[in-house]
Amino acid sequence: MRRRLAAGNWKMNGTGAALSELDTLTATHPSPTVDILICPPATLIHRAGQAVQGSGVAIGGQDCHAEVSGAHTGDLSAEMLKDAGATSVIVGHSERREDHGEKDDDIRAKARAAMNAGLTAIICVGESLEQREAANTLDIIGGQLSGSIPDLATGENLVLAYEPIWAIGTGKVPTLEEIGEVHDFIRARLERRFGEGVGRSVRLLYGGSVKPDNAAEIFGVSNVDGALVGGASLKARDFSGIISALEQA
Ligand code: PEP
Protein backbone atom coordinates (compact mmCIF):
# COMPACT_ATOMS: atom_id res chain seq x y z
CA MET A 1 0.00 0.00 0.00
CA ARG A 2 1.54 3.31 -1.04
CA ARG A 3 1.33 6.09 1.55
CA ARG A 4 -0.10 9.18 -0.12
CA LEU A 5 1.93 12.36 -0.30
CA ALA A 6 1.02 16.04 -0.47
CA ALA A 7 4.15 17.97 -1.48
CA GLY A 8 4.39 21.75 -1.68
CA ASN A 9 6.96 23.60 -3.77
CA TRP A 10 7.37 27.18 -2.63
CA LYS A 11 9.76 27.96 -5.50
CA MET A 12 11.51 31.35 -5.07
CA ASN A 13 8.92 32.58 -2.58
CA GLY A 14 9.21 33.25 1.11
CA THR A 15 11.44 34.83 3.73
CA GLY A 16 11.40 34.14 7.46
CA ALA A 17 7.89 35.59 7.78
CA ALA A 18 6.52 32.72 5.69
CA LEU A 19 7.45 30.22 8.41
CA SER A 20 4.26 31.13 10.25
CA GLU A 21 2.43 29.22 7.49
CA LEU A 22 4.17 26.09 8.76
CA ASP A 23 2.93 26.75 12.28
CA THR A 24 -0.60 26.97 10.92
CA LEU A 25 -0.12 23.83 8.85
CA THR A 26 1.20 21.72 11.72
CA ALA A 27 -1.55 23.01 14.03
CA THR A 28 -4.24 22.21 11.45
CA HIS A 29 -2.90 18.70 10.79
CA PRO A 30 -1.51 17.45 14.13
CA SER A 31 -1.77 13.76 13.14
CA PRO A 32 -1.91 13.57 9.35
CA THR A 33 -2.79 10.25 7.73
CA VAL A 34 -0.82 11.19 4.61
CA ASP A 35 2.78 12.34 4.21
CA ILE A 36 3.17 16.11 4.00
CA LEU A 37 6.27 17.75 2.53
CA ILE A 38 7.13 21.41 2.08
CA CYS A 39 10.03 22.43 -0.17
CA PRO A 40 10.84 26.04 0.76
CA PRO A 41 13.71 28.06 -0.71
CA ALA A 42 17.06 26.66 0.47
CA THR A 43 17.55 29.67 2.76
CA LEU A 44 14.61 28.50 4.86
CA ILE A 45 15.27 24.76 5.03
CA HIS A 46 16.99 24.80 8.40
CA ARG A 47 14.47 27.08 10.10
CA ALA A 48 11.56 25.26 8.43
CA GLY A 49 12.93 21.97 9.77
CA GLN A 50 12.93 23.43 13.26
CA ALA A 51 9.43 24.83 12.81
CA VAL A 52 7.95 21.43 11.90
CA GLN A 53 9.96 19.35 14.39
CA GLY A 54 7.83 16.68 16.03
CA SER A 55 5.00 17.11 13.52
CA GLY A 56 3.99 15.02 10.52
CA VAL A 57 5.38 17.62 8.12
CA ALA A 58 8.75 17.04 6.43
CA ILE A 59 11.00 19.53 4.63
CA GLY A 60 12.64 19.17 1.22
CA GLY A 61 14.87 20.98 -1.25
CA GLN A 62 13.97 22.19 -4.74
CA ASP A 63 17.16 21.13 -6.51
CA CYS A 64 20.63 19.76 -5.78
CA HIS A 65 23.98 19.48 -7.50
CA ALA A 66 25.08 16.11 -8.86
CA GLU A 67 28.36 16.18 -6.95
CA VAL A 68 29.03 15.89 -3.24
CA SER A 69 31.24 18.99 -2.99
CA GLY A 70 33.57 21.13 -5.04
CA ALA A 71 34.03 24.33 -7.00
CA HIS A 72 30.41 25.03 -7.95
CA THR A 73 29.64 28.55 -6.76
CA GLY A 74 26.07 29.00 -5.68
CA ASP A 75 25.15 25.32 -5.83
CA LEU A 76 24.12 22.99 -3.02
CA SER A 77 24.84 19.29 -2.71
CA ALA A 78 22.32 16.70 -1.59
CA GLU A 79 24.44 16.13 1.54
CA MET A 80 24.11 19.82 2.42
CA LEU A 81 20.34 19.70 2.04
CA LYS A 82 20.19 16.62 4.24
CA ASP A 83 22.46 18.24 6.79
CA ALA A 84 20.15 21.29 6.84
CA GLY A 85 17.14 19.08 7.60
CA ALA A 86 15.74 18.01 4.23
CA THR A 87 14.40 14.50 3.68
CA SER A 88 13.63 14.87 -0.04
CA VAL A 89 14.59 16.98 -3.01
CA ILE A 90 12.76 17.87 -6.21
CA VAL A 91 14.86 17.32 -9.34
CA GLY A 92 14.05 18.04 -12.97
CA HIS A 93 11.25 20.52 -12.35
CA SER A 94 10.28 22.01 -15.72
CA GLU A 95 11.40 25.45 -14.50
CA ARG A 96 14.90 24.02 -13.90
CA ARG A 97 14.81 22.27 -17.28
CA GLU A 98 13.79 25.58 -18.93
CA ASP A 99 15.69 28.20 -16.90
CA HIS A 100 18.90 26.20 -16.48
CA GLY A 101 18.88 23.96 -19.55
CA GLU A 102 18.81 20.79 -17.47
CA LYS A 103 18.56 17.61 -19.51
CA ASP A 104 17.55 14.07 -18.52
CA ASP A 105 21.21 13.08 -18.00
CA ASP A 106 21.71 15.97 -15.55
CA ILE A 107 18.53 15.04 -13.72
CA ARG A 108 19.54 11.39 -13.47
CA ALA A 109 22.88 12.43 -11.97
CA LYS A 110 21.17 14.74 -9.47
CA ALA A 111 18.64 12.06 -8.53
CA ARG A 112 21.47 9.56 -8.02
CA ALA A 113 23.30 12.06 -5.80
CA ALA A 114 20.11 12.63 -3.79
CA MET A 115 19.56 8.90 -3.30
CA ASN A 116 23.19 8.34 -2.32
CA ALA A 117 22.83 11.08 0.29
CA GLY A 118 19.79 9.33 1.77
CA LEU A 119 17.22 11.71 0.32
CA THR A 120 14.11 10.82 -1.64
CA ALA A 121 14.35 12.23 -5.17
CA ILE A 122 11.12 13.65 -6.55
CA ILE A 123 11.73 13.51 -10.29
CA CYS A 124 9.46 15.68 -12.42
CA VAL A 125 8.39 14.79 -15.95
CA GLY A 126 5.88 16.47 -18.24
CA GLU A 127 5.08 17.52 -21.76
CA SER A 128 4.68 20.98 -23.30
CA LEU A 129 1.39 22.06 -24.86
CA GLU A 130 2.91 21.72 -28.31
CA GLN A 131 3.95 18.14 -27.56
CA ARG A 132 0.48 17.27 -26.24
CA GLU A 133 -1.24 18.81 -29.24
CA ALA A 134 1.04 16.79 -31.51
CA ALA A 135 -0.08 13.63 -29.64
CA ASN A 136 3.49 13.04 -28.43
CA THR A 137 2.79 13.06 -24.70
CA LEU A 138 3.51 9.40 -23.94
CA ASP A 139 6.64 9.37 -26.12
CA ILE A 140 7.98 12.42 -24.31
CA ILE A 141 7.17 11.04 -20.87
CA GLY A 142 8.64 7.65 -21.80
CA GLY A 143 11.91 9.29 -22.87
CA GLN A 144 12.08 11.38 -19.69
CA LEU A 145 11.47 8.31 -17.54
CA SER A 146 14.20 6.26 -19.24
CA GLY A 147 16.65 9.16 -19.19
CA SER A 148 16.15 10.65 -15.75
CA ILE A 149 15.59 7.75 -13.34
CA PRO A 150 18.78 6.15 -11.98
CA ASP A 151 19.08 2.36 -11.71
CA LEU A 152 19.24 2.49 -7.91
CA ALA A 153 15.65 3.71 -7.61
CA THR A 154 13.35 2.05 -5.05
CA GLY A 155 9.90 2.77 -3.67
CA GLU A 156 11.55 4.61 -0.76
CA ASN A 157 14.05 6.80 -2.56
CA LEU A 158 12.00 7.73 -5.63
CA VAL A 159 8.79 9.69 -6.15
CA LEU A 160 7.66 10.56 -9.67
CA ALA A 161 5.73 13.77 -10.36
CA TYR A 162 3.79 14.10 -13.62
CA GLU A 163 3.59 17.83 -14.29
CA PRO A 164 2.31 18.92 -17.71
CA ILE A 165 4.26 22.14 -18.34
CA TRP A 166 1.18 23.90 -19.71
CA ALA A 167 -0.74 23.22 -16.48
CA ILE A 168 1.85 24.71 -14.11
CA GLY A 169 0.68 28.01 -12.66
CA THR A 170 -1.88 28.50 -15.45
CA GLY A 171 -5.12 27.31 -13.86
CA LYS A 172 -5.42 24.79 -16.72
CA VAL A 173 -5.68 21.13 -15.78
CA PRO A 174 -5.74 18.06 -18.04
CA THR A 175 -8.93 16.01 -18.06
CA LEU A 176 -9.11 13.23 -15.49
CA GLU A 177 -8.80 10.74 -18.37
CA GLU A 178 -5.60 12.42 -19.56
CA ILE A 179 -4.11 12.35 -16.07
CA GLY A 180 -5.09 8.69 -15.65
CA GLU A 181 -3.61 7.74 -19.01
CA VAL A 182 -0.21 9.22 -18.14
CA HIS A 183 -0.15 7.86 -14.59
CA ASP A 184 -1.08 4.35 -15.76
CA PHE A 185 1.62 4.62 -18.41
CA ILE A 186 4.24 5.69 -15.86
CA ARG A 187 3.24 2.83 -13.54
CA ALA A 188 3.55 0.30 -16.37
CA ARG A 189 6.96 1.66 -17.37
CA LEU A 190 8.23 1.50 -13.77
CA GLU A 191 7.00 -2.09 -13.40
CA ARG A 192 8.64 -3.07 -16.68
CA ARG A 193 11.99 -1.58 -15.73
CA PHE A 194 12.18 -2.27 -12.00
CA GLY A 195 9.85 -5.24 -11.60
CA GLU A 196 6.42 -5.31 -10.01
CA GLY A 197 7.62 -4.92 -6.41
CA VAL A 198 9.52 -1.66 -6.90
CA GLY A 199 7.34 -0.49 -9.80
CA ARG A 200 4.19 -0.68 -7.70
CA SER A 201 5.72 0.93 -4.63
CA VAL A 202 6.91 4.20 -6.22
CA ARG A 203 4.51 7.02 -5.51
CA LEU A 204 3.18 9.01 -8.46
CA LEU A 205 2.15 12.62 -7.90
CA TYR A 206 0.15 14.83 -10.23
CA GLY A 207 1.24 18.48 -10.40
CA GLY A 208 -0.19 21.46 -12.25
CA SER A 209 -2.78 23.91 -10.89
CA VAL A 210 -3.99 21.62 -8.10
CA LYS A 211 -6.29 23.63 -5.81
CA PRO A 212 -8.56 22.75 -2.89
CA ASP A 213 -11.57 22.72 -5.24
CA ASN A 214 -10.18 20.31 -7.86
CA ALA A 215 -8.02 18.12 -5.62
CA ALA A 216 -10.64 15.51 -4.66
CA GLU A 217 -11.48 14.56 -8.25
CA ILE A 218 -7.80 14.38 -9.21
CA PHE A 219 -7.06 12.15 -6.20
CA GLY A 220 -9.79 9.80 -7.40
CA VAL A 221 -7.83 9.00 -10.58
CA SER A 222 -6.05 5.64 -10.74
CA ASN A 223 -2.37 5.69 -9.85
CA VAL A 224 -2.50 9.24 -8.47
CA ASP A 225 -0.89 8.93 -5.03
CA GLY A 226 -0.86 12.63 -4.22
CA ALA A 227 0.14 16.00 -5.61
CA LEU A 228 3.06 18.31 -6.13
CA VAL A 229 1.62 21.76 -5.53
CA GLY A 230 3.11 25.15 -6.34
CA GLY A 231 0.94 28.25 -5.83
CA ALA A 232 -1.62 26.63 -3.54
CA SER A 233 1.09 25.44 -1.13
CA LEU A 234 2.15 28.96 -0.18
CA LYS A 235 -0.83 29.54 2.10
CA ALA A 236 -1.46 26.94 4.80
CA ARG A 237 -5.23 27.35 4.41
CA ASP A 238 -5.15 26.40 0.70
CA PHE A 239 -2.64 23.59 1.13
CA SER A 240 -4.63 22.27 4.06
CA GLY A 241 -7.69 21.89 1.82
CA ILE A 242 -5.61 19.77 -0.55
CA ILE A 243 -4.23 17.66 2.31
CA SER A 244 -7.74 17.05 3.63
CA ALA A 245 -8.91 15.99 0.16
CA LEU A 246 -6.00 13.54 -0.03
CA GLU A 247 -6.77 12.17 3.42
CA GLN A 248 -10.34 11.50 2.32
CA ALA A 249 -9.43 10.01 -1.09
C1 PEP B 1 4.73 23.24 -9.71
O1 PEP B 1 5.40 24.20 -10.04
O2 PEP B 1 5.29 22.17 -9.40
C2 PEP B 1 3.29 23.38 -9.71
C3 PEP B 1 2.57 22.29 -9.75
O3 PEP B 1 2.79 24.65 -9.67
P1 PEP B 1 1.25 25.08 -9.56
O4 PEP B 1 0.60 24.19 -8.53
O5 PEP B 1 1.29 26.52 -9.14
O6 PEP B 1 0.64 24.87 -10.91
Side-chain angles (χ1 to χ4, degrees):
M1 189 62 183
R2 295 181 296 272
R3 191 167 158 90
R4 287 164 292 174
L5 169 63
N9 173 12
W10 283 7
K11 310 191 183 188
M12 198 173 72
N13 295 294
T15 56
L19 294 171
S20 65
E21 297 297 329
L22 296 179
D23 297 334
T24 309
L25 199 61
T26 52
T28 315
H29 298 276
S31 315
T33 57
V34 298
D35 286 345
I36 303 173
L37 175 74
I38 293 286
C39 300
T43 48
L44 290 180
I45 289 178
H46 182 64
R47 277 186 287 170
Q50 290 176 324
V52 300
Q53 213 165 25
S55 78
V57 178
I59 299 300
Q62 299 176 11
D63 177 53
C64 67
H65 197 277
E67 289 174 27
V68 173
S69 62
H72 302 289
T73 302
D75 282 320
L76 297 170
S77 70
E79 276 73 11
M80 291 168 180
L81 295 177
K82 181 153 167 100
D83 181 58
T87 58
S88 305
V89 60
I90 300 168
V91 292
H93 190 282
S94 60
E95 287 154 15
R96 298 286 316 174
R97 291 179 188 256
E98 243 170 72
D99 296 354
H100 300 269
E102 293 185 6
K103 304 279 179 252
D104 289 336
D105 283 353
D106 305 310
I107 292 153
R108 188 173 68 251
K110 287 174 180 228
R112 189 186 301 119
M115 292 167 178
N116 284 335
L119 296 178
T120 296
I122 303 175
I123 300 179
C124 301
V125 296
E127 82 287 1
S128 66
L129 188 56
E130 203 183 9
Q131 290 162 338
R132 175 159 283 279
E133 286 175 347
N136 283 336
T137 298
L138 296 185
D139 279 352
I140 294 295
I141 303 293
Q144 291 173 336
L145 293 174
S146 324
S148 60
I149 304 176
D151 288 336
L152 72 160
T154 67
E156 285 76 47
N157 67 17
L158 174 67
V159 170
L160 242 296
Y162 167 53
E163 299 210 306
I165 299 168
W166 52 274
I168 294 177
T170 58
K172 292 183 193 151
V173 180
T175 64
L176 301 180
E177 290 70 27
E178 287 168 337
I179 294 174
E181 180 188 35
V182 176
H183 279 242
D184 290 350
F185 172 80
I186 295 174
R187 178 72 64 213
R189 281 294 172 101
L190 290 172
E191 286 182 19
R192 195 171 82 185
R193 177 165 165 196
F194 294 102
E196 277 187 8
V198 170
R200 286 186 187 170
S201 62
V202 174
R203 292 176 290 180
L204 309 186
L205 309 183
Y206 167 76
S209 297
V210 177
K211 309 282 178 220
D213 59 2
N214 64 11
E217 57 179 17
I218 293 171
F219 295 148
V221 175
S222 87
N223 278 312
V224 172
D225 302 310
L228 179 55
V229 182
S233 71
L234 293 172
K235 291 284 165 225
R237 204 186 44 196
D238 294 336
F239 197 43
S240 177
I242 294 170
I243 292 166
S244 299
L246 189 57
E247 287 184 315
Q248 284 153 32

PDB file of all heavy atoms in Angstrom, residues 125-151:
ATOM      1  N   VAL A 125       8.471  14.983 -14.496  1.00  0.00           N
ATOM      2  CA  VAL A 125       8.394  14.785 -15.949  1.00  0.00           C
ATOM      3  C   VAL A 125       7.133  15.485 -16.434  1.00  0.00           C
ATOM      4  O   VAL A 125       6.204  15.692 -15.658  1.00  0.00           O
ATOM      5  CB  VAL A 125       8.347  13.280 -16.330  1.00  0.00           C
ATOM      6  CG1 VAL A 125       9.633  12.568 -15.925  1.00  0.00           C
ATOM      7  CG2 VAL A 125       7.136  12.577 -15.708  1.00  0.00           C
ATOM      8  N   GLY A 126       7.099  15.829 -17.710  1.00  0.00           N
ATOM      9  CA  GLY A 126       5.883  16.467 -18.236  1.00  0.00           C
ATOM     10  C   GLY A 126       6.102  17.010 -19.624  1.00  0.00           C
ATOM     11  O   GLY A 126       7.228  17.350 -20.002  1.00  0.00           O
ATOM     12  N   GLU A 127       5.015  17.086 -20.366  1.00  0.00           N
ATOM     13  CA  GLU A 127       5.083  17.523 -21.759  1.00  0.00           C
ATOM     14  C   GLU A 127       4.682  18.991 -21.904  1.00  0.00           C
ATOM     15  O   GLU A 127       3.961  19.521 -21.061  1.00  0.00           O
ATOM     16  CB  GLU A 127       4.175  16.643 -22.626  1.00  0.00           C
ATOM     17  CG  GLU A 127       2.689  17.003 -22.639  1.00  0.00           C
ATOM     18  CD  GLU A 127       1.947  16.643 -21.351  1.00  0.00           C
ATOM     19  OE1 GLU A 127       2.568  16.118 -20.406  1.00  0.00           O
ATOM     20  OE2 GLU A 127       0.721  16.916 -21.285  1.00  0.00           O
ATOM     21  N   SER A 128       5.122  19.615 -22.993  1.00  0.00           N
ATOM     22  CA  SER A 128       4.682  20.981 -23.304  1.00  0.00           C
ATOM     23  C   SER A 128       3.326  20.902 -24.012  1.00  0.00           C
ATOM     24  O   SER A 128       2.905  19.816 -24.450  1.00  0.00           O
ATOM     25  CB  SER A 128       5.695  21.667 -24.221  1.00  0.00           C
ATOM     26  OG  SER A 128       5.715  21.005 -25.475  1.00  0.00           O
ATOM     27  N   LEU A 129       2.685  22.032 -24.174  1.00  0.00           N
ATOM     28  CA  LEU A 129       1.385  22.056 -24.862  1.00  0.00           C
ATOM     29  C   LEU A 129       1.558  21.611 -26.311  1.00  0.00           C
ATOM     30  O   LEU A 129       0.752  20.844 -26.849  1.00  0.00           O
ATOM     31  CB  LEU A 129       0.798  23.478 -24.801  1.00  0.00           C
ATOM     32  CG  LEU A 129      -0.628  23.621 -25.315  1.00  0.00           C
ATOM     33  CD1 LEU A 129      -1.581  22.680 -24.591  1.00  0.00           C
ATOM     34  CD2 LEU A 129      -1.111  25.061 -25.175  1.00  0.00           C
ATOM     35  N   GLU A 130       2.638  22.081 -26.912  1.00  0.00           N
ATOM     36  CA  GLU A 130       2.915  21.717 -28.311  1.00  0.00           C
ATOM     37  C   GLU A 130       3.049  20.190 -28.449  1.00  0.00           C
ATOM     38  O   GLU A 130       2.500  19.586 -29.379  1.00  0.00           O
ATOM     39  CB  GLU A 130       4.234  22.383 -28.703  1.00  0.00           C
ATOM     40  CG  GLU A 130       4.435  22.599 -30.159  1.00  0.00           C
ATOM     41  CD  GLU A 130       5.814  23.208 -30.428  1.00  0.00           C
ATOM     42  OE1 GLU A 130       6.647  23.300 -29.495  1.00  0.00           O
ATOM     43  OE2 GLU A 130       6.045  23.574 -31.578  1.00  0.00           O
ATOM     44  N   GLN A 131       3.756  19.590 -27.515  1.00  0.00           N
ATOM     45  CA  GLN A 131       3.955  18.137 -27.560  1.00  0.00           C
ATOM     46  C   GLN A 131       2.631  17.402 -27.346  1.00  0.00           C
ATOM     47  O   GLN A 131       2.357  16.407 -28.006  1.00  0.00           O
ATOM     48  CB  GLN A 131       4.990  17.717 -26.508  1.00  0.00           C
ATOM     49  CG  GLN A 131       6.395  18.179 -26.876  1.00  0.00           C
ATOM     50  CD  GLN A 131       7.361  18.177 -25.700  1.00  0.00           C
ATOM     51  OE1 GLN A 131       6.955  18.226 -24.533  1.00  0.00           O
ATOM     52  NE2 GLN A 131       8.653  18.131 -26.002  1.00  0.00           N
ATOM     53  N   ARG A 132       1.791  17.928 -26.442  1.00  0.00           N
ATOM     54  CA  ARG A 132       0.481  17.275 -26.236  1.00  0.00           C
ATOM     55  C   ARG A 132      -0.372  17.409 -27.482  1.00  0.00           C
ATOM     56  O   ARG A 132      -0.992  16.444 -27.934  1.00  0.00           O
ATOM     57  CB  ARG A 132      -0.242  17.872 -25.018  1.00  0.00           C
ATOM     58  CG  ARG A 132      -1.644  17.285 -24.857  1.00  0.00           C
ATOM     59  CD  ARG A 132      -2.216  17.422 -23.476  1.00  0.00           C
ATOM     60  NE  ARG A 132      -1.691  16.471 -22.509  1.00  0.00           N
ATOM     61  CZ  ARG A 132      -2.105  15.213 -22.373  1.00  0.00           C
ATOM     62  NH1 ARG A 132      -3.040  14.728 -23.163  1.00  0.00           N
ATOM     63  NH2 ARG A 132      -1.574  14.430 -21.459  1.00  0.00           N
ATOM     64  N   GLU A 133      -0.384  18.606 -28.060  1.00  0.00           N
ATOM     65  CA  GLU A 133      -1.238  18.811 -29.238  1.00  0.00           C
ATOM     66  C   GLU A 133      -0.774  17.978 -30.430  1.00  0.00           C
ATOM     67  O   GLU A 133      -1.555  17.635 -31.297  1.00  0.00           O
ATOM     68  CB  GLU A 133      -1.288  20.304 -29.589  1.00  0.00           C
ATOM     69  CG  GLU A 133      -2.167  21.040 -28.581  1.00  0.00           C
ATOM     70  CD  GLU A 133      -2.204  22.551 -28.758  1.00  0.00           C
ATOM     71  OE1 GLU A 133      -1.368  23.100 -29.513  1.00  0.00           O
ATOM     72  OE2 GLU A 133      -3.059  23.176 -28.117  1.00  0.00           O
ATOM     73  N   ALA A 134       0.517  17.639 -30.427  1.00  0.00           N
ATOM     74  CA  ALA A 134       1.036  16.791 -31.512  1.00  0.00           C
ATOM     75  C   ALA A 134       0.888  15.300 -31.162  1.00  0.00           C
ATOM     76  O   ALA A 134       1.427  14.434 -31.855  1.00  0.00           O
ATOM     77  CB  ALA A 134       2.500  17.130 -31.760  1.00  0.00           C
ATOM     78  N   ALA A 135       0.158  15.012 -30.089  1.00  0.00           N
ATOM     79  CA  ALA A 135      -0.082  13.629 -29.640  1.00  0.00           C
ATOM     80  C   ALA A 135       1.216  12.889 -29.308  1.00  0.00           C
ATOM     81  O   ALA A 135       1.334  11.684 -29.522  1.00  0.00           O
ATOM     82  CB  ALA A 135      -0.897  12.854 -30.679  1.00  0.00           C
ATOM     83  N   ASN A 136       2.189  13.645 -28.775  1.00  0.00           N
ATOM     84  CA  ASN A 136       3.487  13.044 -28.434  1.00  0.00           C
ATOM     85  C   ASN A 136       3.677  12.847 -26.928  1.00  0.00           C
ATOM     86  O   ASN A 136       4.780  12.516 -26.486  1.00  0.00           O
ATOM     87  CB  ASN A 136       4.630  13.949 -28.931  1.00  0.00           C
ATOM     88  CG  ASN A 136       4.840  13.810 -30.409  1.00  0.00           C
ATOM     89  OD1 ASN A 136       4.479  12.782 -30.990  1.00  0.00           O
ATOM     90  ND2 ASN A 136       5.374  14.843 -31.044  1.00  0.00           N
ATOM     91  N   THR A 137       2.629  13.063 -26.164  1.00  0.00           N
ATOM     92  CA  THR A 137       2.790  13.064 -24.700  1.00  0.00           C
ATOM     93  C   THR A 137       3.468  11.801 -24.177  1.00  0.00           C
ATOM     94  O   THR A 137       4.468  11.878 -23.445  1.00  0.00           O
ATOM     95  CB  THR A 137       1.425  13.263 -24.009  1.00  0.00           C
ATOM     96  OG1 THR A 137       0.923  14.534 -24.396  1.00  0.00           O
ATOM     97  CG2 THR A 137       1.555  13.218 -22.493  1.00  0.00           C
ATOM     98  N   LEU A 138       2.964  10.631 -24.545  1.00  0.00           N
ATOM     99  CA  LEU A 138       3.511   9.403 -23.941  1.00  0.00           C
ATOM    100  C   LEU A 138       4.945   9.147 -24.404  1.00  0.00           C
ATOM    101  O   LEU A 138       5.765   8.639 -23.630  1.00  0.00           O
ATOM    102  CB  LEU A 138       2.592   8.209 -24.225  1.00  0.00           C
ATOM    103  CG  LEU A 138       1.187   8.316 -23.607  1.00  0.00           C
ATOM    104  CD1 LEU A 138       0.387   7.033 -23.839  1.00  0.00           C
ATOM    105  CD2 LEU A 138       1.223   8.651 -22.119  1.00  0.00           C
ATOM    106  N   ASP A 139       5.251   9.511 -25.652  1.00  0.00           N
ATOM    107  CA  ASP A 139       6.644   9.365 -26.122  1.00  0.00           C
ATOM    108  C   ASP A 139       7.579  10.237 -25.295  1.00  0.00           C
ATOM    109  O   ASP A 139       8.672   9.824 -24.902  1.00  0.00           O
ATOM    110  CB  ASP A 139       6.771   9.812 -27.584  1.00  0.00           C
ATOM    111  CG  ASP A 139       6.321   8.719 -28.526  1.00  0.00           C
ATOM    112  OD1 ASP A 139       6.072   7.600 -28.046  1.00  0.00           O
ATOM    113  OD2 ASP A 139       6.208   9.003 -29.732  1.00  0.00           O
ATOM    114  N   ILE A 140       7.146  11.477 -25.079  1.00  0.00           N
ATOM    115  CA  ILE A 140       7.984  12.422 -24.313  1.00  0.00           C
ATOM    116  C   ILE A 140       8.172  11.913 -22.880  1.00  0.00           C
ATOM    117  O   ILE A 140       9.291  11.860 -22.355  1.00  0.00           O
ATOM    118  CB  ILE A 140       7.323  13.827 -24.292  1.00  0.00           C
ATOM    119  CG1 ILE A 140       7.290  14.411 -25.708  1.00  0.00           C
ATOM    120  CG2 ILE A 140       8.014  14.766 -23.308  1.00  0.00           C
ATOM    121  CD1 ILE A 140       8.650  14.696 -26.311  1.00  0.00           C
ATOM    122  N   ILE A 141       7.079  11.511 -22.261  1.00  0.00           N
ATOM    123  CA  ILE A 141       7.165  11.040 -20.868  1.00  0.00           C
ATOM    124  C   ILE A 141       8.037   9.771 -20.805  1.00  0.00           C
ATOM    125  O   ILE A 141       8.884   9.620 -19.916  1.00  0.00           O
ATOM    126  CB  ILE A 141       5.756  10.724 -20.293  1.00  0.00           C
ATOM    127  CG1 ILE A 141       4.842  11.948 -20.375  1.00  0.00           C
ATOM    128  CG2 ILE A 141       5.860  10.203 -18.852  1.00  0.00           C
ATOM    129  CD1 ILE A 141       5.203  13.107 -19.518  1.00  0.00           C
ATOM    130  N   GLY A 142       7.853   8.887 -21.765  1.00  0.00           N
ATOM    131  CA  GLY A 142       8.642   7.648 -21.795  1.00  0.00           C
ATOM    132  C   GLY A 142      10.126   7.951 -21.884  1.00  0.00           C
ATOM    133  O   GLY A 142      10.951   7.352 -21.170  1.00  0.00           O
ATOM    134  N   GLY A 143      10.493   8.902 -22.720  1.00  0.00           N
ATOM    135  CA  GLY A 143      11.908   9.289 -22.869  1.00  0.00           C
ATOM    136  C   GLY A 143      12.438   9.902 -21.583  1.00  0.00           C
ATOM    137  O   GLY A 143      13.566   9.604 -21.153  1.00  0.00           O
ATOM    138  N   GLN A 144      11.632  10.743 -20.942  1.00  0.00           N
ATOM    139  CA  GLN A 144      12.077  11.381 -19.688  1.00  0.00           C
ATOM    140  C   GLN A 144      12.250  10.336 -18.584  1.00  0.00           C
ATOM    141  O   GLN A 144      13.185  10.415 -17.786  1.00  0.00           O
ATOM    142  CB  GLN A 144      11.069  12.454 -19.255  1.00  0.00           C
ATOM    143  CG  GLN A 144      11.050  13.662 -20.190  1.00  0.00           C
ATOM    144  CD  GLN A 144       9.936  14.643 -19.857  1.00  0.00           C
ATOM    145  OE1 GLN A 144       8.927  14.275 -19.256  1.00  0.00           O
ATOM    146  NE2 GLN A 144      10.114  15.885 -20.267  1.00  0.00           N
ATOM    147  N   LEU A 145      11.362   9.355 -18.568  1.00  0.00           N
ATOM    148  CA  LEU A 145      11.474   8.311 -17.538  1.00  0.00           C
ATOM    149  C   LEU A 145      12.750   7.500 -17.751  1.00  0.00           C
ATOM    150  O   LEU A 145      13.513   7.256 -16.806  1.00  0.00           O
ATOM    151  CB  LEU A 145      10.263   7.374 -17.591  1.00  0.00           C
ATOM    152  CG  LEU A 145       8.903   7.962 -17.195  1.00  0.00           C
ATOM    153  CD1 LEU A 145       7.798   6.942 -17.452  1.00  0.00           C
ATOM    154  CD2 LEU A 145       8.883   8.408 -15.739  1.00  0.00           C
ATOM    155  N   SER A 146      12.999   7.072 -18.993  1.00  0.00           N
ATOM    156  CA  SER A 146      14.204   6.261 -19.236  1.00  0.00           C
ATOM    157  C   SER A 146      15.455   7.058 -18.938  1.00  0.00           C
ATOM    158  O   SER A 146      16.430   6.528 -18.415  1.00  0.00           O
ATOM    159  CB  SER A 146      14.325   5.796 -20.692  1.00  0.00           C
ATOM    160  OG  SER A 146      13.124   5.501 -21.241  1.00  0.00           O
ATOM    161  N   GLY A 147      15.428   8.364 -19.302  1.00  0.00           N
ATOM    162  CA  GLY A 147      16.652   9.159 -19.185  1.00  0.00           C
ATOM    163  C   GLY A 147      16.930   9.695 -17.801  1.00  0.00           C
ATOM    164  O   GLY A 147      18.090   9.947 -17.452  1.00  0.00           O
ATOM    165  N   SER A 148      15.897   9.902 -16.994  1.00  0.00           N
ATOM    166  CA  SER A 148      16.146  10.653 -15.753  1.00  0.00           C
ATOM    167  C   SER A 148      16.084   9.819 -14.472  1.00  0.00           C
ATOM    168  O   SER A 148      16.432  10.320 -13.406  1.00  0.00           O
ATOM    169  CB  SER A 148      15.185  11.848 -15.655  1.00  0.00           C
ATOM    170  OG  SER A 148      13.862  11.404 -15.663  1.00  0.00           O
ATOM    171  N   ILE A 149      15.653   8.558 -14.572  1.00  0.00           N
ATOM    172  CA  ILE A 149      15.591   7.746 -13.336  1.00  0.00           C
ATOM    173  C   ILE A 149      16.840   6.879 -13.225  1.00  0.00           C
ATOM    174  O   ILE A 149      17.136   6.091 -14.129  1.00  0.00           O
ATOM    175  CB  ILE A 149      14.346   6.827 -13.324  1.00  0.00           C
ATOM    176  CG1 ILE A 149      13.077   7.658 -13.515  1.00  0.00           C
ATOM    177  CG2 ILE A 149      14.277   6.044 -12.019  1.00  0.00           C
ATOM    178  CD1 ILE A 149      11.812   6.813 -13.601  1.00  0.00           C
ATOM    179  N   PRO A 150      17.588   6.994 -12.142  1.00  0.00           N
ATOM    180  CA  PRO A 150      18.785   6.149 -11.979  1.00  0.00           C
ATOM    181  C   PRO A 150      18.411   4.701 -11.660  1.00  0.00           C
ATOM    182  O   PRO A 150      17.317   4.435 -11.163  1.00  0.00           O
ATOM    183  CB  PRO A 150      19.535   6.785 -10.811  1.00  0.00           C
ATOM    184  CG  PRO A 150      18.599   7.718 -10.157  1.00  0.00           C
ATOM    185  CD  PRO A 150      17.398   7.919 -11.026  1.00  0.00           C
ATOM    186  N   ASP A 151      19.347   3.790 -11.920  1.00  0.00           N
ATOM    187  CA  ASP A 151      19.081   2.364 -11.709  1.00  0.00           C
ATOM    188  C   ASP A 151      18.836   2.023 -10.241  1.00  0.00           C
ATOM    189  O   ASP A 151      18.211   1.015  -9.945  1.00  0.00           O
ATOM    190  CB  ASP A 151      20.267   1.526 -12.219  1.00  0.00           C
ATOM    191  CG  ASP A 151      20.312   1.519 -13.738  1.00  0.00           C
ATOM    192  OD1 ASP A 151      19.254   1.733 -14.369  1.00  0.00           O
ATOM    193  OD2 ASP A 151      21.413   1.308 -14.292  1.00  0.00           O
TER     194      ASP A 151
END
